[in-house]
Each structure stands twice: as structure tokens, then as C-alpha cells.
Amino acid sequence: MTAAQMKSEFLIRYDALSYGAPGWEDTDIEQFLNIAQMEIVKELFAAKRYDLLTEIWDEFDTIIDSVEYAINIKKAQLPSDLLFYISSKTKLYISNPIVGDAKLYTAVNEEINMFKADQFLPKSLTDYTLFRQPKCYIEAGFLKVIVDSYADDVLNIYVTYLRIPVNIKITSTAVNCELNESLHKSIVENAVGQALRAIVGSKLKTE
């Protein structure tokens, strides 16, 4: 649906359920739609987040983004439009020498405290398991990579994330919903529900 079609669908559904309650201005409808859009994304992410590392869903294909950070860094500032962190990988240069891509695994702070220097050492000079699966964690807006003395450099960090969707606009210059079409109906239904609850809340305050 276009933004105009979402507004039209909102009005049809609202009129059918509001039983003559006062209507809403375009700015109000726009706000309801944008709140609904965020709620739908968060609910869907919560329901499917454990599948994110193995598949990309059609519902999120327009707001999954990635960023590459410059050479020779062991931490990367997370993007300002990040809504949810999905995954990351790094390219390590390892003594011996070996160069290869390695997937990063996020670790909670409690795990970080358990790591000791000797745990990073390989069993032998040909055992690079720890290098192939390095750990990282998020702290104060940064993604930090944990490496050992055998990893000479973290050449690049690639972060894949779910970004904040662009706001829907039905006033002035229209901006259509960028989420997959399959979610538009749910967004409108959620927005109508918010509008109805707002009417009920307004009546309760005046009684």
C-alpha cells in the first residue's frame, strides 16, 4: 500500500469500529501509523530473532543493512540508525601467516569476565579454531572484538543489523511505508487499535 492507501484503509477500519467517535487529523493518523510500524517490527523481531543468523526474512528485506569498518580496528561504533544488532564478522590476520574471514559471536559481559589469557592460546600452532570463531561484545555503543596474541590485526569488521524504518508520511510530501507489503495490513490494524484506545482513554479522563 502507498501512504495514501494506508490512510484510506485506516479511515475505513476506524469508521467501522468507532461507532461515531470523533475522527483524527492527518498528523494524528501519521503518528499512529509510525508507532504501529515500530511495534510490528519489534514484535516480529522478538518472535523470529533466533532465526536471524541462518536466514533473511522477506518481511525485513528492506531494512536489513550492513556496514564495513576501516582496517586495523578492534572496535567499531554501532550505526546511529541501528534498531537491532543481528550479526557480524571480521577479517583477521593471524601469525604464521593465515588470512581469512571469521564470524563473530556476541558474548555477554559475564562471559567476558571468564576469559583468561591462557584460554586464548591455541592447542598447537595449527589449531586456529579460536581465531575462526572470535568473540565480540557490545559496550557503550561499540562492538568490541576479543583477540589473542596470535591475531596480529583485525583488518575489517562487518556488521549486519536491522535499521530504524523510515517514517511514513501522509502530510505534505508523502513517504510510503518501506516495509514489506505483507506487513502493511498489520500496521494499519495496529494503528486503528491505537486510535480506538486513545478515544477510550480520552472518555475515561472526562468522566
Side-chain angles (χ1 to χ4, degrees):
M1 284 186 268
T2 64
Q5 289 171 331
M6 293 183 89
K7 172 189 172 182
S8 178
E9 186 69 18
F10 174 95
L11 292 172
I12 291 171
R13 290 174 179 270
Y14 178 78
D15 289 343
L17 297 170
S18 61
Y19 302 103
W24 297 95
E25 299 292 333
D26 282 357
T27 51
D28 298 318
I29 297 172
E30 188 175 279
Q31 185 176 16
F32 287 136
L33 287 171
N34 284 308
I35 293 172
Q37 176 175 244
M38 285 297 291
E39 287 188 355
I40 293 297
V41 169
K42 289 178 180 179
E43 288 172 4
L44 187 58
F45 182 86
K48 293 189 173 183
R49 66 186 184 277
Y50 297 113
D51 297 325
L52 271 173
L53 297 180
T54 57
E55 63 180 33
I56 301 299
W57 316 312
D58 290 340
E59 294 96 327
F60 283 160
D61 59 359
T62 57
I63 59 171
I64 289 180
D65 211 342
S66 60
V67 61
E68 176 183 353
Y69 292 97
I71 195 168
N72 289 329
I73 55 174
K74 293 181 181 177
K75 69 176 183 178
Q77 186 162 15
L78 293 171
S80 60
D81 61 350
L82 179 143
L83 181 60
F84 293 114
Y85 167 87
I86 297 177
S87 64
S88 51
K89 67 177 181 177
T90 186
K91 179 169 283 190
L92 300 177
Y93 179 82
I94 303 167
S95 297
N96 214 25
I98 291 179
V99 178
D101 288 330
K103 193 173 187 178
L104 288 176
Y105 291 82
T106 52
V108 296
N109 288 334
E110 297 80 65
E111 286 182 292
I112 303 301
N113 296 331
M114 293 168 57
F115 293 152
K116 298 179 181 178
D118 59 352
Q119 289 179 296
F120 289 123
L121 297 177
K123 297 175 183 177
S124 69
L125 291 179
T126 57
D127 184 354
Y128 294 99
T129 302
L130 289 172
F131 300 133
R132 296 303 180 189
Q133 298 183 352
K135 290 281 188 179
C136 67
Y137 65 105
I138 296 173
E139 181 180 81
F142 283 88
L143 181 73
K144 298 186 178 181
V145 182
I146 304 170
V147 297
D148 60 32
S149 58
Y150 283 85
D152 298 327
D153 285 307
V154 177
L155 300 181
N156 295 80
I157 299 176
Y158 308 87
V159 179
T160 300
Y161 66 100
L162 207 64
R163 65 172 172 79
I164 299 170
V166 173
N167 279 339
I168 302 164
K169 291 188 179 296
I170 59 175
T171 56
S172 61
T173 304
V175 176
N176 295 330
C177 178
E178 66 173 336
L179 297 181
N180 191 282
E181 184 87 18
S182 64
L183 298 176
H184 291 188
K185 180 180 177 181
S186 296
I187 291 170
V188 173
E189 290 174 348
N190 184 298
V192 170
Q194 291 178 56
L196 294 172
R197 289 192 294 274
I199 289 293
V200 172
S202 176
K203 287 182 177 180
L204 290 174
K205 288 180 181 179
T206 58
E207 290 177 356

